[in-house]
């Protein structure tokens, strides 16, 4: 047992004094009693008093040591070691080893992926799940407190504005209100209900606008003020404001040209949402990117200092090694870039959360007695099954295809029918109930259940030598070599196709996947040893490319190839001893193989489908391959072979049900038109199979609802790097097309009628209450998710087509009616003309229904507010507060704070409805231009080619952060006009005025 674990056990036994003595190496309990008498040890004192007392007793070096992810013990004060960042996205996930930084996975209760949890639209359930996660985190912590830390890096609240985002599985929704409700519930469960103490300390990821993986440390998310205030910030604010999270993690990307690691909003905005002390941390290696990929600062001292001053308190860098961080911070102190007061501020933030976790209390606080026996308890397993069932979404159900008749024979078909996959942030599954397992268990002994994975079983024969490629038969497999002259189990591989040509090869001999052994070693062999595609670089990916003569070559497609760790070779060759190795940079130099099909996946699927009365086809994704951290998807389509499989089964058996098990919207156009019933589920954890059987056979009435728009085509989406949902028409709020499945969509085995929508009188900020009666008109009990949307009919500014304002999941027995009461807290939007929230006088259409497209009742709500006055450009106006634009980039005004607009030739900004009744004679702007020479800005009226009223010269300043003042006379300005600033070449504009 480690010293930290012993300390924790003694503390739980009430032997706190002895524990302190052991920690500091003291023989005398009297000395430990003296430590225990310090004010910071007294739970009766106010939190700030305790924190201040401890900070005063720490040396500068000890305070600096608190700023790293791994905080060492401070024996002289009895302060234990502390580690940030246990992953807990949908159950307790993993931590990193204290000696080498390797991932160590917990075997704990695994719930549905985050996008699945949100699909329940059930905050009460999500809070229970969060509580389980907090309990199991405490349980692991009780075994080794310094290793299994209680600062949990979850939930992810980045909005799912683009379904191609690789990390879609980690988020909740494209909608901020739903995201805020689910994240608050999950966080509340993790923190516990004590008014002072924390069960665990959730941290929201990733602040801010982090929704692409391509070039994720160097791309900038352009957030115009309305998108920032009305959309992205609204996902983070609710959990912080509700004390359901104890901080945020800064993201890798830049926001408006400034790295999120040094975003001053970490202090200026995030901390304004709560009266509690927050403990903000960086994403892994984020501070090093400031001088690395981002090249934002010249030295680490400058970068780390800027991050600390911007609002970061913890540096997640260099794995377990805190020495580099300590050295950088000490150097920054020596150079005057930081003062000890900066260190004190961050240290107080760190310690405030640690105190709330109870670690400085004699008894460890109210949650210290939670032990390992709670992990994967029967109650937790039951909750896992319930949540997996509640999360499933019935997309289609023609003519009562579902629920299935348990007396009818069934064929379970597809590449996911008898496996469960974990993802990068998942814990280890304590057990697995696969789809076919769940169906067999539901139907019982004697039921006719057939199954097939419907994948091709192949053998690969060296075209030159005629020898077959072989693996090993034991659990550890063997190095793949050619040598066999006939096909046995060791020469056969099941080829799982994950789309766009990517395959994984599972050995028939031992059920393990072929993977490249090792990393960054060009001579690493290939071995059939992986339990599933796994790890950061996913060494298990291959492509079989036609060589043009009936042969194929094997391309290694593991994720390190784009990073070019070990040279140019990505094609496989056979060495002199028969070993398969990376030996060629191109197909021309690769070894040619003849692919022999042992059995056909389609043939086996068709045979199984024809033999049964019902066919259930389970398709979907492999979470380590089809989009994940560091890898966006390039298409929303199913793998091509999976689409062909569905078509073949549907032709063989008209009574076909398709189950799509993946983590994101999918273009199921053919399936929607031709398959009788479709279910969607995320990868749903250990109880997936039981939950699926519950829904398929009607033991659970499905009530999951989509949290994203499901589009018909990739062409419906803008560039993944375009964050302006307002201008580009993204998400259900602004999309003008016809979605495949709308936001909030999901079907039930019963029907619901809506009636008697009533609206209360709106109050300040547009607050109002709505009531609606909902009746179950069917013969089954079921849950309906009642959704309330609004649309502002009259506004100065572009408004969403509809916006979710409230929802409730309600259970109704057959024939039962319930009155659902929904409170709408705010109808304001961000007014860029004055930089504040505004409630306009307008009529709002209030819509209540079962999805964004299934609106059952509508009513008009007159709201009395104000009219946004015409713009007054006589005041200094931020250029970023435009009404419209073309081609511009939003940039950092300085490296510390402020925003500007970067412009190029032909770019323009529009400022609408400007009042010139008092006239204007001078245009003045604050501009910068790094390039030599001058540029110009034209002031025009009515359009980018409208009447020219003035032209100003933008002088070169030699530095994009060095601003100068440009002025010019203008003429002919009167009345109310739309003003356009049109630019002729590269420059930056911060503010301007027309006086």
């Amino acid at each position: 047992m480690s010293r930290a674990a012993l300390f924790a056990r003694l503390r739980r036994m009430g032997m706190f004094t002895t524990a302190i003595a052991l920690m500091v190496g003291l023989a005398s309990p009297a000395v430990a009693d003296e430590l225990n008498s310090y004010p910071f040890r007294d739970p009766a004192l106010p939190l700030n008093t305790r924190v201040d007392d401890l900070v005063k007793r720490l040396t500068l070096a000890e305070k600096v040591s608190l700023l790293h992810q791994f905080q060492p013990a401070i024996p002289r004060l009895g302060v234990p070691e502390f580690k940030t960042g246990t992953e807990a996205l949908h159950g307790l996930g993993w931590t990193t080893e204290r000696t080498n930084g390797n991932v160590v996975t917990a075997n704990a209760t695994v719930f549905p992926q985050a996008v699945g949890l949100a699909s329940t639209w059930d905050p009460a359930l999500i809070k229970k799940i969060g509580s389980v996660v907090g309990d199991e985190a405490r349980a692991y912590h009780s075994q080794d407190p310094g290793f299994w830390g209680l600062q949990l890096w979850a939930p992810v609240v980045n909005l799912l504005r683009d379904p191609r985002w690789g990390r879609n599985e980690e988020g909740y929704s494209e909608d901020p209100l739903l995201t805020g409700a689910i994240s608050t519930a999950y966080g509340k469960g993790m923190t516990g209900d004590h008014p002072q103490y924390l069960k665990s300390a959730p941290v929201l990821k990733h602040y801010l606008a982090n929704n692409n993986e391509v070039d994720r440390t160097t791309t900038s998310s352009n957030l115009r003020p309305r998108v920032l205030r009305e959309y992205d910030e609204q996902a983070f604010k609710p959990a912080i404001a509700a004390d359901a999270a104890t901080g945020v993690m800064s993201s890798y990307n830049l926001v408006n040209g400034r790295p999120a690691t040094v975003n001053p909003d970490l202090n200026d905005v995030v901390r304004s949402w709560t009266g509690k002390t927050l403990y903000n941390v960086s994403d892994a290696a984020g501070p090093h990117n400031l001088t690395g990929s981002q090249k934002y600062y010249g030295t680490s001292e400058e970068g780390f200092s800027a991050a600390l001053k911007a609002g970061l308190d913890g540096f997640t860098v260099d794995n377990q090694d805190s020495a580099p961080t300590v050295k950088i911070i000490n150097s920054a102190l020596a150079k005057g870039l930081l003062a000890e007061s900066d260190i004190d501020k961050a240290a107080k933030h760190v310690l405030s959360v640690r105190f709330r976790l109870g670690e400085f209390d004699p008894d460890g606080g109210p949650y210290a007695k939670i032990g390992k026996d709670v992990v994967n308890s029967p109650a937790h397993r039951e909750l896992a099954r319930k949540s997996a069932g509640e999360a499933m979404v019935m997309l289609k159900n023609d003519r009562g295809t579902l629920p299935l008749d348990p007396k009818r024979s069934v064929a379970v078909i597809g590449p996911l029918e008898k496996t469960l996959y974990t993802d990068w942030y998942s814990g280890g599954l304590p057990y697995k109930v696969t789809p076919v397992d769940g169906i067999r268990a539901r139907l019982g002994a004697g039921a006719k259940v057939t199954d097939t994975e419907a994948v091709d079983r192949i053998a690969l024969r060296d075209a030159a030598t005629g020898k077959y490629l072989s693996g090993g038969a034991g659990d550890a497999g063997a190095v793949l070599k050619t040598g066999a002259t006939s096909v046995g189990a060791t020469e056969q591989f099941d080829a799982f196709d994950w789309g766009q040509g990517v395959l994984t090869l599972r050995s028939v001999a031992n059920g393990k996947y072929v993977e490249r052994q090792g990393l960054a070693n060009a001579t690493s062999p290939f071995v059939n040893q992986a339990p599933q595609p796994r790890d950061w670089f996913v060494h298990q990916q291959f492509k079989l490319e036609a060589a043009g003569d009936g042969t194929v070559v094997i391309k290694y497609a593991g994720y390190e190839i784009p990073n070019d760790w070990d040279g140019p070779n990505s094609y496989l060759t056979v060495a002199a001893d028969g070993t398969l190795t990376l030996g060629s940079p191109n197909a021309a130099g690769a070894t040619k193989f003849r692919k022999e099909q042992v059995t056909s996946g389609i043939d086996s699927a068709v045979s199984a489908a024809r033999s049964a009365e019902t066919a259930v086809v389970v398709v979907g994704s492999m979470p380590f391959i089809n989009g994940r951290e560091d890898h966006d998807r390039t298409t929303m389509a199913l793998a091509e072979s999976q689409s062909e499989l569905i078509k073949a089964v549907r032709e063989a058996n008209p009574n076909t049900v398709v189950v799509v098990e993946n983590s994101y919207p999918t273009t199921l156009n053919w399936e929607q038109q031709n398959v009788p019933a479709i279910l969607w589920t995320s990868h749903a954890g250990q109880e997936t199979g039981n939950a699926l059987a519950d829904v398929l056979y009607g033991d659970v009435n499905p009530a999951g609802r989509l949290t994203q728009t499901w589009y018909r085509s990739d062409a419906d989406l803008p560039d993944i790097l375009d964050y302006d949902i307002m201008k580009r028409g993204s998400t259900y709020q602004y999309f003008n097309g016809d979605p495949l499945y709308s936001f909030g969509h999901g079907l039930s085995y019963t029907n619901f009628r809506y009636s008697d929508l009533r609206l209360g009188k709106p109050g300040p900020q547009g607050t109002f209450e709505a009531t609606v009666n909902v009746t179950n008109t069917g013969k089954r009990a079921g849950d309906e998710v009642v959704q309330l949307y609004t649309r502002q009919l009259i506004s100065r500014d572009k408004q969403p087509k509809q916006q979710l304002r409230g929802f409730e999941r309600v259970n109704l027995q057959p024939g039962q009616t319930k009155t659902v009461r929904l409170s709408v807290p705010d109808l304001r939007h961000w007014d860029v003309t004055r930089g504040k929230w505004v409630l306009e006088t307008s009529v709002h259409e209030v819509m209540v229904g079962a999805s964004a497209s299934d609106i059952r009742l509508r009513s008009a709500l007159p709201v009395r507010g104000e009219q946004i006055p015409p713009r007054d450009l006589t005041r200094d106006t931020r250029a970023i507060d435009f009404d419209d634009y073309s081609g511009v980039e939003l940039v950092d005004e300085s490296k510390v704070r402020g925003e500007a607009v970067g412009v190029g030739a032909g770019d323009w900004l529009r400022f609408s409805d400007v009042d010139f009744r008092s006239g204007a004679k001078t245009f003045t702007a604050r501009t910068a231009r790094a390039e030599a020479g001058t540029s110009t800005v034209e002031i025009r009226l009515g359009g980018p080619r409208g009447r020219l009223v003035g032209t100003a010269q933008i002088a070169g300043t030699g530095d994009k952060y060095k601003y100068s003042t440009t002025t010019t006379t203008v003429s002919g300005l009167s009345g109310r006009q739309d003003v356009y600033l049109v630019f002729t070449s590269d420059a930056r504009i911060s503010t301007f005025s027309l006086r």
Side-chain angles (χ1 to χ4, degrees), residues 425-489:
Y425 285 103
S426 173
L429 296 171
Y431 59 91
K432 300 179 181 180
V433 183
T434 68
V436 71
D437 292 338
I439 290 171
R440 284 199 171 109
R442 170 61 179 81
L443 298 184
K448 186 181 177 184
V449 180
T450 58
D451 77 290
T452 174
E453 291 176 299
V455 296
D456 290 342
R457 181 164 291 181
I458 64 172
L460 294 166
R461 180 163 57 91
D462 188 327
T465 66
K467 295 179 179 180
Y468 288 93
L469 190 65
S470 303
D475 282 346
V479 172
L480 266 62
K481 293 183 178 182
T482 59
T485 57
S486 61
V487 177

Side-chain angles (χ1 to χ4, degrees), residues 510-756:
N510 67 352
K512 300 297 179 67
Y513 289 84
V514 175
E515 67 179 354
R516 186 178 177 214
Q517 192 176 57
L519 173 66
N521 185 341
T523 62
S524 295
F526 294 86
V527 183
N528 59 317
Q529 66 179 11
Q532 70 163 54
R534 60 180 180 175
D535 298 334
W536 185 256
F537 295 105
V538 198
H539 304 293
Q540 301 80 26
Q541 300 177 83
F542 303 91
K543 293 183 177 182
L544 301 184
E545 297 180 352
D549 56 358
T551 64
V552 298
V553 294
I554 306 174
K555 183 177 183 180
Y556 171 60
Y559 281 151
E560 69 267 40
I561 289 297
N563 294 301
D564 197 23
W565 290 114
D566 52 7
N569 292 346
S570 58
Y571 285 83
L572 277 62
T573 58
V574 175
D577 65 353
T579 302
L580 199 63
T581 187
L582 281 179
S584 175
N586 52 47
T591 297
K592 293 182 178 181
F593 290 88
R594 297 200 179 278
K595 185 179 75 170
E596 298 180 0
Q597 190 174 79
V598 179
T599 59
S600 163
I602 291 289
D603 288 350
S604 66
V606 169
S607 176
R610 287 175 176 166
S611 72
E613 294 169 280
T614 301
V616 176
V617 185
V618 188
V619 295
S621 69
M622 201 292 128
F624 279 79
I625 294 174
N626 299 116
R628 50 153 285 188
E629 183 171 358
D630 206 32
H631 294 275
D632 292 315
R633 291 191 298 155
T634 56
T635 178
M636 292 184 289
L638 281 174
E640 300 85 348
S641 64
Q642 294 185 13
S643 293
E644 293 305 312
L645 171 66
I646 293 170
K647 292 174 182 177
V649 173
R650 172 65 179 81
E651 183 177 355
N653 187 334
N655 192 29
T656 293
V657 176
V658 170
V659 177
V660 180
E661 184 179 343
N662 64 17
S663 315
Y664 35 70
T666 307
T667 47
L668 302 174
N669 297 298
W670 187 92
E671 291 77 8
Q672 174 61 23
Q673 292 176 1
N674 295 281
V675 175
I678 307 173
L679 280 174
W680 174 82
T681 176
S682 72
H683 294 276
Q686 62 209 47
E687 286 284 348
T688 299
N690 283 333
L692 178 60
D694 289 341
V695 172
L696 287 174
Y697 289 95
D699 300 317
V700 168
N701 191 343
R705 301 292 185 262
L706 298 180
T707 67
Q708 295 175 265
T709 303
W710 284 43
Y711 300 93
R712 295 182 181 273
S713 168
D714 296 334
D716 289 334
L717 297 170
D719 188 288
I720 196 171
L721 299 179
D722 194 329
Y723 280 72
D724 191 346
I725 64 168
M726 294 180 177
K727 190 172 181 68
R728 303 306 172 199
S730 300
T731 79
Y732 80 94
Q733 291 188 18
Y734 294 97
F735 183 57
N736 288 314
D738 177 26
L740 177 64
Y741 305 116
S742 63
F743 175 81
H745 172 73
L747 305 178
S748 171
Y749 292 147
T750 190
N751 298 301
F752 301 95
R753 183 181 67 240
Y754 288 66
S755 62
D756 198 20

Side-chain angles (χ1 to χ4, degrees), residues 488-500:
T490 54
E491 288 71 48
Q492 296 180 46
F493 301 91
D494 292 328
F496 288 79
D497 177 10
W498 298 111
Q500 299 177 292

Side-chain angles (χ1 to χ4, degrees), residues 145-173:
F147 180 57
W148 289 100
L150 291 173
Q151 189 196 60
L152 305 183
W153 286 352
V156 171
V157 298
N158 296 110
L159 291 164
L160 306 182
R161 58 157 192 109
D162 193 309
R164 296 166 300 186
W165 183 35
R167 303 181 76 167
N168 197 87
E169 66 193 30
E170 299 181 36
Y172 290 135
S173 172

Side-chain angles (χ1 to χ4, degrees), residues 67 104 138 278 330 344 351 628 694 775 793 818 897:
L67 305 185
V104 179
R138 277 281 176 176
L278 299 180
N330 285 335
D344 287 351
L351 290 172
R628 50 153 285 188
D694 289 341
T775 303
L793 300 183
K818 285 186 179 180
R897 59 173 26 87

